[in-house]
Amino acid sequence: MLDLEVLNNMNIYPPSLDTGRCFIYCRVSTEEQAKNGYSIEAQRDTCTKKAAELNKTIIDIYMDKGATATVSNRPQFLRMIDEMTEKNIDTIIVYNTDRFARNTYDHIIIKDRLLKAGIKLISVVQPMLDESPEGNLLDTFLAGINAFYSQDLSRKTKKGLQRKWDEGYWPGYPLLGYKTYQPDGHKKTIIPDPINGPIIKELFRLYATNDYSIVSLGKFLHEKGIRTSNNKTLAHNTIHNILTNPFYYGFMRWNGQEKMGNHDPLIDKKTYDICQLVASRHRNFVILKRKYDFLLRGVVICAQCGQRYVAEWHNINSSKRDRIAYYHCSKRIRCKSKYIETTILEKKIADYFKNIKFSKSFTDIITKKVDHYLKSKDKEVADQRKLLLNRRNGILANRATLEKRLMDETVDRDTFRRLHDELQTDINAVDKQLTSLDSSRNFDFNLLEEVLALTRDIPKAYAIAHPLLKRKYLHFFFQSIAVNNQNIETATFSPLIQELISQKEVILWNGLLPREDSNLQPCD
Ligand SMILES: [Zn+2]
């Protein structure tokens, strides 16, 4: 059901004249401090100016300096979030939203809290991130897509790895007990390590007898030569992770996906299962429950009883290599709703996206905003490049002077060496910043390109998106999707999309018209 309170507090319509009370939040990491124009004082001054422009009274300024942007490193940020309702502010001004949250989870949680508290977030350098519907949409999209791309691997690498996964090969490093193998002219794959493989097999066998503790198994591995790089016994946790990794019987988990792999298993499923039983009975370590995320988990609910759907694997024959995953109502015993194969429901959801389209005028606005953003980004990059090049030239001039002084013998050789090395370090640092400047621009471009692709053709962008990105898209659009008898019965759009629908910026096809309660009818 739609949370009306949230919608009412969304501040979709900007007030005519912005007056009120605000907080300013600035953050700088140790690494950034070195860069020109990014000091915390500069951020504060820019934000203060913005507050004056908007006629806002600054109630407090919060500043965090720390190595990274993790929550624990942001004491002032946490204090601000605590104090924002009590001090009755209506706006938080930041230099850039990346000051605010470094991942989507953070971002969405915080935005939601701000939304509920009726507090606006204004970013000085991202004028497009305003409180208009398209601003909100872009903001949400950008945060989600940004987090997706910021993950360790580049998109390209991901594609290659994904292909490998799709073909049934393990896309990661070989696990202990395996090694990479690449015969001439063939794909790189992994095979059991002739030396370590049998030892790992034995490890499982021993553990399955329930006669060995992890500590004694650590000693066993140590004796057999399986040790850490500095010759120590493997950590408790490492051994536990091996013993609970289904990879060893052939089952792969990677990047939110799971399937049987092509690799030769070291153990059979039965041995693995017994080990899990032993592990769950041992109280000598913490069992880290890793719940696999099925794509639709958290989005699909049961139309009959309102409970969330969960998913799980079912073996379809005794070999246990063939399995089918099903979504079903979590209230399994008392609810009579039917199970549905994950692939079928996921396909139905993908098709459901075909009913949603942004209006032409809306995509035009987004395109303009993206264009505007890229232009301002280009200017920013050009300005920073100029600064960096100036600094580089300065260092080069200093180096020339120093070299001349060595010739003149006005500096001794040791001092010369030391100073010369220092200058070289400075030059390298500047060069590094110049390179990262380019990649940050490309990064932004890719991100915005994804946003454009999504706004122009939602079902297509969804269909080809990486599973992790798909999840984000699902949450952009839907609050929940109710399923009944293996069909989509109603869908509740996210508050943002709801609002866009009411403003006719989102067009629903095939008679998908919002009812009074804003739930939607299916359209098969
Ligand atoms: Zn149910």
Side-chain angles (χ1 to χ4, degrees):
M1 291 295 292
L2 172 68
D3 189 342
L4 275 175
E5 202 181 42
V6 173
L7 199 60
N8 287 336
N9 283 327
M10 275 187 70
N11 284 331
I12 295 297
Y13 307 101
S16 51
L17 232 183
D18 248 330
T19 51
R21 298 153 61 85
C22 74
F23 281 164
I24 285 174
Y25 178 71
C26 311
R27 183 174 63 75
V28 73
S29 70
T30 321
E31 186 193 326
E32 289 164 340
Q33 244 157 345
K35 285 190 200 168
N36 274 343
Y38 220 82
S39 73
I40 204 156
E41 291 76 18
Q43 285 183 40
R44 184 198 55 206
D45 294 348
T46 319
C47 293
T48 309
K49 225 185 273 170
K50 185 77 187 178
E53 253 174 52
L54 297 171
N55 260 331
K56 297 230 175 255
T57 315
I58 299 167
I59 304 302
D60 216 335
I61 298 177
Y62 300 83
M63 303 208 272
D64 277 320
K65 291 184 185 186
T68 55
T70 54
V71 173
S72 54
N73 265 319
R74 294 186 293 165
Q76 289 295 310
F77 179 80
L78 295 179
R79 193 165 73 85
M80 174 180 76
I81 296 293
D82 275 350
E83 292 176 354
M84 68 189 187
T85 33
E86 158 199 333
K87 291 201 177 167
N88 198 23
I89 55 143
D90 54 48
T91 304
I92 293 173
I93 300 177
V94 290
Y95 181 71
N96 186 322
T97 43
D98 70 3
R99 301 297 92 198
F100 220 67
R102 279 320 264 264
N103 60 53
T104 334
Y105 181 73
D106 257 22
H107 190 94
I108 287 168
I109 296 288
I110 293 160
K111 261 222 108 162
D112 195 53
R113 283 190 68 171
L114 295 184
L115 222 60
K116 283 182 177 150
I119 294 168
K120 285 208 286 181
L121 176 63
I122 289 179
S123 156
V124 180
V125 295
Q126 293 148 294
M128 67 172 185
L129 301 181
D130 47 42
E131 291 294 318
S132 65
E134 62 275 10
N136 257 322
L137 179 95
L138 259 182
D139 188 17
T140 316
F141 281 7
L142 282 174
I145 298 168
N146 192 357
F148 170 71
Y149 282 117
S150 302
Q151 278 146 4
D152 291 335
L153 302 161
S154 72
R155 192 184 186 188
K156 226 170 156 187
T157 329
K158 271 218 167 101
K159 265 192 185 158
L161 294 177
Q162 182 66 40
R163 204 173 308 123
K164 216 168 166 187
W165 166 269
D166 291 340
E167 289 167 4
Y169 295 101
W170 177 242
Y173 292 111
L175 277 77
L176 189 59
Y178 285 88
K179 61 173 203 166
T180 37
Y181 174 65
Q182 188 167 27
D184 284 344
H186 284 83
K187 256 201 187 98
K188 204 190 260 179
T189 158
I190 63 164
I191 56 165
D193 184 312
I195 298 159
N196 287 341
I199 302 171
I200 296 296
K201 189 176 172 177
E202 183 66 6
L203 173 79
F204 275 96
R205 198 193 64 77
L206 292 174
Y207 192 62
T209 63
N210 202 11
D211 292 335
Y212 297 83
S213 66
I214 298 255
V215 175
S216 61
L217 291 173
K219 282 183 194 147
F220 160 78
L221 291 174
H222 192 271
E223 275 166 26
K224 295 281 179 187
I226 297 186
R227 306 166 186 178
T228 66
S229 53
N230 51 8
N231 247 344
K232 294 236 168 74
T233 304
L234 292 189
H236 202 277
N237 218 11
T238 312
I239 301 171
H240 176 242
N241 286 345
I242 296 171
L243 290 166
T244 52
N245 195 336
F247 185 87
Y248 291 101
Y249 79 83
F251 189 66
M252 311 190 292
R253 285 196 179 120
W254 179 75
N255 235 346
Q257 309 163 79
E258 45 183 34
K259 73 194 287 190
M260 289 302 292
N262 288 337
H263 62 277
D264 288 331
L266 286 181
I267 54 162
D268 56 19
K269 171 91 168 29
K270 195 170 170 216
T271 308
Y272 174 80
D273 287 342
I274 295 171
C275 287
Q276 302 327 296
L277 204 67
V278 174
S280 67
R281 284 182 182 162
H282 277 205
R283 279 247 155 253
N284 56 348
F285 56 83
V286 185
I287 302 152
L288 298 164
K289 245 194 183 169
R290 256 215 232 146
K291 210 163 181 184
Y292 170 63
D293 264 346
F294 282 91
L295 181 61
L296 303 175
R297 220 167 57 83
V299 179
V300 172
I301 58 168
C302 173
Q304 291 189 26
C305 70
Q307 291 290 312
R308 297 215 168 271
Y309 263 47
V310 290
E312 64 199 20
W313 291 98
H314 293 255
N315 296 323
I316 52 170
N317 61 30
S318 53
S319 87
K320 298 193 174 174
R321 278 204 157 223
D322 297 314
R323 311 192 310 159
I324 300 181
Y326 290 95
Y327 286 107
H328 62 84
C329 175
S330 54
K331 206 167 150 188
R332 205 183 330 198
I333 297 164
R334 277 171 297 153
C335 182
K336 294 271 172 282
S337 66
K338 281 187 191 163
Y339 280 39
I340 178 165
E341 257 183 65
T342 49
T343 45
I344 295 177
L345 186 55
E346 283 164 15
K347 172 80 172 58
K348 286 190 181 198
I349 301 278
D351 287 343
Y352 200 80
F353 272 98
K354 290 179 184 156
N355 297 313
I356 316 165
K357 192 179 189 299
F358 289 112
S359 72
K360 171 85 171 65
S361 60
F362 186 74
T363 46
D364 284 351
I365 296 174
I366 296 277
T367 310
K368 242 182 239 154
K369 289 206 170 220
V370 164
D371 188 54
H372 173 76
Y373 178 77
L374 273 180
K375 281 201 180 104
S376 66
K377 179 78 191 175
D378 280 344
K379 194 183 169 301
E380 192 190 314
V381 167
D383 289 349
Q384 287 210 21
R385 177 185 303 282
K386 218 189 238 164
L387 270 172
L388 287 169
L389 286 174
N390 283 344
R391 200 189 313 164
R392 196 177 194 283
N393 286 335
I395 302 168
L396 289 179
N398 286 342
R399 191 171 68 176
T401 313
L402 182 67
E403 284 165 357
K404 192 165 173 291
R405 285 182 62 194
L406 182 74
M407 303 300 151
D408 297 347
E409 294 184 79
T410 52
V411 62
D412 64 79
R413 283 190 70 193
D414 280 349
T415 312
F416 170 81
R417 260 295 127 229
R418 189 171 52 77
L419 293 175
H420 204 262
D421 284 353
E422 275 177 28
L423 290 171
Q424 191 55 49
T425 311
D426 289 349
I427 293 173
N428 292 345
V430 172
D431 286 349
K432 206 172 142 199
Q433 285 180 33
L434 280 164
T435 319
S436 76
L437 208 55
D438 283 335
S439 61
S440 100
R441 199 275 178 196
N442 285 339
F443 180 84
D444 278 20
F445 181 80
N446 288 337
L447 206 115
L448 292 163
E449 195 265 322
E450 184 80 46
V451 172
L452 282 184
L454 179 67
T455 49
R456 283 168 186 172
D457 192 339
I458 300 165
K460 191 173 167 203
Y462 177 79
I464 61 173
H466 183 279
L468 289 174
L469 194 51
K470 270 201 174 90
R471 271 183 82 81
K472 300 204 185 299
Y473 287 173
L474 278 167
H475 290 282
F476 289 159
F477 287 96
F478 300 106
Q479 189 160 303
S480 63
I481 298 169
V483 170
N484 198 7
N485 284 329
Q486 306 188 326
N487 279 313
I488 297 171
E489 189 167 288
T490 55
T492 307
F493 288 102
S494 65
L496 175 62
I497 298 296
Q498 288 275 1
E499 185 56 33
L500 292 171
I501 291 169
S502 73
Q503 298 192 16
K504 306 221 172 7
E505 299 291 18
V506 168
I507 301 164
L508 302 168
W509 297 95
N510 294 344
L512 263 187
L513 285 172
R515 296 197 312 237
E516 280 298 285
D517 62 359
S518 301
N519 282 338
L520 295 163
Q521 286 290 355
C523 62
D524 308 298

